[in-house]
């Protein structure tokens, strides 16, 4: 049986900890250290209990190639500063035997980017899935992945999984490595425990009314979670770019707005399922539109028009980019009084100040409901970015560090990174 990290005796032991230090960098400098700060309680606990740390993470998508711009060496100083102890660096995650063996209690070693090795993700590189040789290459890679994970495991006495953002992937360091530790020597980190508890709160400890706010550009990327939620929620707000696929499904005019023409039947199916489950479906009746947003700079071009139209009557040349004033009021009213709230995805192009009002209205309504006792779970990079932009991070119950992992957990899927620990 897996151990609880608070109860484990780390004294004199080496702990290899999978974290998510895939932080955004600009010119080698960290622009948002949220993920590093999120892992600190786990890392500090191990050091305080007399253990030594071997930290491992990925950065970006090097796909098995060494790319200096994705080196974790760039974050060594930041991690050292946050931890309050010097952090040593291993130039190669598969050749750190001597450095790991030399670690004394209280010392820390950070391994180089795990994804410099294709074995971490366990996918064949440089061969198409349609190639007849692909299946053999896949089997060979899986065998190599086991050896890769075995080497990582050899550095330590115990394994801690604290990277919720990658828990939905069966990678070498997030799941396969578990095979090389006894059940009592593998455990969830403090951040993972919080994430799992937050998801459990939303799905299995529901206080009603329960509302889910699903935004973003595509119905296709959210259909699984929407269908799963329709059997659980009392209300669901569908907003963002998917608004126009629903409008088009009913024969509406949507101008130049984003649309998935091959998902019109899916949109109608969602509406039917909502009705069958007595779920109140809240859509945006109006949209703030523009004919000249520069998506590169996120600014409105000089001379461009910005108008509000009904979501199903947007003229040619205009693009729906945010929920309109009536939609904002409707969203806020739907959220008011709810006791369980899940938010994933913005209501518009919130990165541009001209089109962030819809997302801001949702965020502020969630903050008000939370102040009145609701449990609010914010997940997905864009929703988290919205909370940061509008100064709401301290006014919601829980902000998840994992976008894809959170969605899959709420969709009802078993996360390999959790299952590997719990057995």
């Amino acid at each position: 049986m897996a151990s609880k990290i608070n109860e484990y005796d780390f004294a004199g032991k080496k702990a290899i900890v999978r974290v998510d230090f895939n932080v955004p960098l600009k010119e080698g400098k960290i622009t948002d250290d949220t993920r590093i700060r999120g892992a600190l309680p786990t890392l500090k606990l191990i050091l305080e209990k007399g253990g030594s740390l071997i930290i491992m993470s990925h950065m970006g998508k090097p796909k098995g190639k060494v790319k200096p711009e994705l080196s974790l060496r760039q974050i060594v100083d930041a991690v050292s500063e946050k931890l309050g102890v010097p952090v040593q660096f291993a130039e190669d995650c598969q050749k750190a035997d001597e450095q790991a063996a030399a670690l004394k209690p209280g010392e820390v070693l950070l391994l180089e980017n795990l994804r410099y090795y294709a074995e971490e993700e366990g996918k064949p590189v440089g061969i198409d899935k349609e190639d007849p040789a692909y299946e053999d290459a896949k089997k060979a890679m899986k065998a190599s992945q086991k050896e890769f994970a075995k080497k990582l495991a050899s550095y330590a006495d115990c394994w801690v999984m604290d990277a919720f953002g990658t828990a939905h992937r069966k990678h070498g360091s997030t799941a396969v490595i578990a095979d090389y530790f006894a059940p009592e020597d593998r455990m969830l980190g403090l951040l993972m425990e919080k994430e799992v508890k937050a998801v459990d709160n939303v799905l299995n400890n529901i206080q009603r009314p329960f509302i889910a706010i699903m935004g973003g550009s595509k119905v296709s990327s959210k259909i699984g979670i929407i269908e799963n939620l329709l059997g659980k929620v009392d209300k669901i707000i569908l907003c963002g770019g998917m608004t126009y696929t629903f409008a088009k499904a009913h024969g509406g005019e949507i101008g130049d707005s984003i649309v998935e023409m091959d998902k019109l039947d899916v949109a109608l199916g969602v509406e039917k399922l909502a009705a069958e489950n007595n779920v109140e479906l809240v859509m945006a009746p109006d949209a703030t539109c523009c004919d000249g947003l520069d998506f590169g700079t996120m600014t409105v071009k000089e001379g461009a028009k910005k108008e509000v139209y009904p979501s199903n009557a947007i003229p040619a040349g205009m693009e729906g980019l945010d929920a309109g004033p009536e939609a904002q009021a409707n969203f806020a009213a739907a959220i008011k009084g709810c006791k369980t709230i899940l938010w994933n995805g913005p209501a518009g192009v919130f990165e541009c100040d001209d089109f962030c009002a819809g997302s801001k209205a949702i965020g502020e309504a969630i903050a008000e409901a939370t102040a009145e006792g609701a449990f609010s779970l914010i997940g997905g990079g864009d929703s988290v970015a919205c909370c940061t932009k509008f100064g709401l991070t301290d006014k919601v119950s829980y902000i998840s560090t994992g976008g894809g992992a959170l969605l899959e957990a709420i969709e009802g899927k078993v996360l390999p990174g959790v299952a590997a620990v719990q057995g």
Side-chain angles (χ1 to χ4, degrees):
M1 184 177 174
S3 293
K4 290 278 188 185
I5 190 167
N6 278 313
E7 299 167 3
Y8 192 83
D9 181 10
F10 288 100
K13 292 182 179 176
K14 296 181 176 71
I16 189 161
V17 187
R18 179 49 157 107
V19 297
D20 183 3
F21 281 177
N22 184 28
V23 294
L25 295 168
K26 188 173 183 180
E27 297 174 358
K29 300 294 181 186
I30 299 169
T31 57
D32 183 353
D33 66 356
T34 302
R35 287 174 173 167
I36 294 176
R37 286 186 285 108
L40 290 178
T42 292
L43 302 178
K44 286 183 175 181
L45 176 69
I46 293 167
L47 293 178
E48 286 164 7
K49 295 182 84 170
S52 53
L53 278 173
I54 299 158
I55 304 172
M56 55 179 175
S57 176
H58 74 285
M59 181 174 280
K61 297 179 179 179
K63 297 188 182 298
K65 294 191 172 113
V66 174
K67 296 187 176 180
E69 68 273 18
L70 296 177
S71 173
L72 287 171
R73 176 178 280 287
Q74 300 171 93
I75 69 168
V76 169
D77 290 345
V79 177
S80 297
E81 183 187 338
K82 294 282 186 298
L83 268 181
V85 295
V87 172
Q88 301 170 44
F89 186 66
E91 301 281 352
D92 188 324
C93 69
Q94 288 287 286
K95 297 175 182 175
D97 309 69
E98 289 184 14
Q99 285 171 284
L103 281 180
K104 297 180 176 61
E107 293 186 337
V108 183
L109 175 67
L110 173 65
L111 304 183
E112 180 57 285
N113 194 340
L114 296 166
R115 289 188 186 171
Y116 278 1
Y117 283 85
E119 287 83 354
E120 162 65 358
E121 295 184 84
K123 294 176 184 174
V125 176
I127 182 168
D128 193 87
K129 285 186 178 180
E130 305 304 317
D131 191 310
Y134 180 79
E135 283 305 314
D136 286 340
K138 187 177 173 183
K139 284 179 187 172
M141 177 57 82
K142 288 299 178 187
S144 296
Q145 186 184 47
K146 288 182 179 180
E147 290 304 311
F148 174 84
K150 185 178 181 180
K151 169 60 81 171
L152 294 174
S154 72
Y155 301 150
D157 303 298
C158 59
W159 168 61
V160 181
M161 175 58 180
D162 210 29
F164 186 72
T166 60
H168 58 314
R169 305 295 187 204
K170 191 172 183 179
H171 289 173
S173 66
T174 65
V176 181
I177 192 173
D179 293 343
Y180 304 100
F181 290 99
E184 62 271 19
D185 290 323
R186 55 192 193 221
M187 65 213 83
L188 297 178
L190 296 175
L191 180 62
M192 282 285 289
E193 285 183 348
K194 282 166 63 179
E195 294 277 7
V196 171
K197 185 179 178 183
V199 171
D200 187 63
N201 256 338
V202 166
L203 295 184
N204 302 313
N205 186 27
I206 299 168
Q207 303 298 309
R208 298 192 180 277
F210 176 14
I211 188 169
I213 303 109
M214 292 286 117
S217 59
K218 295 181 177 180
V219 181
S220 55
S221 63
K222 300 286 174 72
I223 187 60
I225 187 171
I226 290 171
E227 289 177 343
N228 185 58
L229 285 169
L230 285 173
K232 295 178 169 40
V233 299
D234 302 293
K235 308 177 189 180
I236 189 165
I237 293 173
L238 297 181
C239 55
M242 69 176 86
T243 299
Y244 312 106
T245 297
F246 280 84
K248 192 68 177 176
H250 288 282
E253 295 298 329
I254 59 168
D256 292 353
S257 305
I258 188 170
V259 64
E260 291 179 283
M261 292 300 293
D262 61 336
K263 294 293 183 287
L264 302 186
D265 58 332
V266 172
L268 295 174
V270 166
E271 293 182 357
K272 183 172 181 284
L273 194 58
E276 289 171 354
N277 284 277
N278 295 313
V279 173
E280 180 185 344
L281 187 58
V282 183
M283 304 284 294
D286 59 347
T288 302
C289 307
C290 182
D291 63 355
L293 174 63
D294 183 331
F295 281 89
T297 62
M298 285 298 170
T299 56
V300 175
K301 297 172 186 173
E302 190 175 342
K305 288 186 295 181
K306 180 183 168 188
E307 304 283 350
V308 175
Y309 297 102
S311 296
N312 60 359
I314 299 172
M318 299 296 286
E319 181 178 8
L321 297 170
D322 193 15
E326 188 181 345
Q328 294 166 34
N330 289 358
F331 294 166
I335 294 166
K336 188 174 178 61
C338 288
K339 295 300 180 188
T340 304
I341 304 167
L342 169 67
W343 183 20
N344 180 269
V349 187
F350 75 96
E351 299 92 338
C352 176
D353 290 346
D354 289 270
F355 306 107
C356 70
S359 301
K360 187 176 183 181
I362 288 171
E364 289 179 341
I366 292 172
E368 285 178 23
T370 306
E372 292 169 3
F375 177 82
S376 51
L377 172 58
I378 315 300
D382 285 342
S383 300
V384 175
C386 283
C387 285
T388 302
K389 177 168 182 165
F390 308 132
L392 301 171
T393 51
D394 297 328
K395 297 178 181 178
V396 296
S397 304
Y398 192 76
I399 291 182
S400 176
T401 58
L406 176 71
L407 292 183
E408 291 200 11
I410 289 169
E411 208 173 316
K413 294 180 179 177
V414 174
L415 302 182
V418 177
V421 174
Q422 296 176 340

